[in-house]
Amino acid sequence: MMLRIEHIDKAFDGNAVLHDLCWTLGPGECWQVTGASGIGKTTLLRLMMGLEQPDSGKRIIPAAVRFCPVFQEDRLVENWSALQNVALVCDDSPSAFRILNTLLPDSALEQPVCTLSGGMRRRVALARALAAQGDILVLDEPFAGLDAQTLWHAAEALRRYRRGRAVVLVSHETEKLFPDWHTLSL
Ligand SMILES: Nc1ncnc2c1ncn2[C@@H]1O[C@H](COP(=O)(O)OP(=O)(O)OP(=O)(O)O)[C@@H](O)[C@H]1O
């Protein structure tokens, strides 16, 4: 078991978002979290990572488990290049370069990320999560703003570079891309 959620309730300003939610993530398992806009998908990811506290219920996680997140916002160092952003979380520069290279054109790798398009920036954020040392990839809309072909490449990079790590993914595209993954429907 890498992460367990037991009977979690979460409300904001008296509005219930998650109610009596139970779920277990096993080692190396891949999950897609689905549900309508506003149902609580991002809230659940934040609860998993301990960035939000439940009103009741608990989250059980071994102390050594580390997360590799892609947040809904890119959270990049704006004046740094894609390579510098990814190298920040990764001791192995050749491996960071390899991951970035599959996701972005060469011409985009060395300019400040603030000059890149929204879809390119999203791919830098995904590359950073894939290059990071950690146990669970937690990905909140990592494919936002990508056209069909780029999306396919990004999904392929996720398959190739997850390196056996568990994945929890929120994306509107997942059913077509990852038909063999588990689904948690909110
Ligand atoms: N910090 C907060 N303060 C108050 N309300 C919040 C907060 N975070 C989330 N909410 C509310 O909780 C509900 C669930 O939000 P959440 O972002 O988890 O939904 P979501 O399923 O990820 O939505 P989307 O698919 O649109 O991103 C929404 O009604 C949202 O307004």
Side-chain angles (χ1 to χ4, degrees):
M1 185 275 290
M2 299 206 75
L3 173 65
R4 178 172 295 152
I5 279 170
E6 287 186 354
H7 303 287
I8 275 186
D9 285 300
K10 181 70 183 175
F12 291 107
D13 308 321
N15 297 315
V17 175
L18 299 173
H19 176 57
D20 198 26
L21 184 71
C22 299
W23 174 74
T24 302
L25 176 68
E29 285 183 358
C30 295
W31 285 79
Q32 46 196 338
V33 181
T34 62
S37 183
I39 199 123
K41 302 182 295 296
T42 294
T43 302
L44 175 60
L45 298 191
R46 290 176 56 77
L47 279 159
M48 284 178 196
M49 292 189 280
L51 299 174
E52 203 78 69
Q53 295 308 311
D55 300 328
S56 60
K58 59 183 173 183
R59 156 187 177 267
I60 301 165
I61 183 164
V65 166
R66 287 182 299 170
F67 295 97
C68 308
V70 171
F71 293 95
Q72 229 170 32
E73 332 76 53
D74 300 312
R75 300 197 187 186
L76 302 171
V77 184
E78 295 292 334
N79 291 325
W80 287 16
S81 69
L83 275 167
Q84 287 171 314
N85 267 277
V86 174
L88 189 63
V89 300
C90 172
D91 296 334
D92 178 3
S93 308
S95 141
F97 183 77
R98 208 163 40 244
I99 295 172
L100 267 173
N101 219 15
T102 63
L103 284 164
L104 287 163
D106 285 353
S107 58
L109 298 187
E110 300 204 37
Q111 25 177 315
V113 293
C114 59
T115 65
L116 301 181
S117 73
M120 285 178 175
R121 294 164 53 83
R122 216 60 202 132
R123 281 174 276 161
V124 178
L126 177 59
R128 181 179 56 186
L130 290 171
Q133 302 297 311
D135 311 288
I136 307 177
L137 291 152
V138 178
L139 311 175
D140 198 349
E141 298 286 359
F143 307 129
L146 305 188
D147 62 71
Q149 195 184 357
T150 314
L151 174 64
W152 189 87
H153 282 299
E156 196 50 38
L158 171 53
R159 274 192 213 97
R160 188 178 324 152
Y161 292 114
R162 83 176 174 90
R163 301 192 302 268
R165 288 173 287 184
V167 184
V168 186
L169 171 67
V170 170
S171 167
H172 295 296
E173 316 285 347
T174 50
E175 278 171 45
K176 281 165 275 169
L177 292 170
F178 306 106
D180 52 330
W181 286 18
H182 303 282
T183 302
L184 174 62
S185 302
L186 296 184

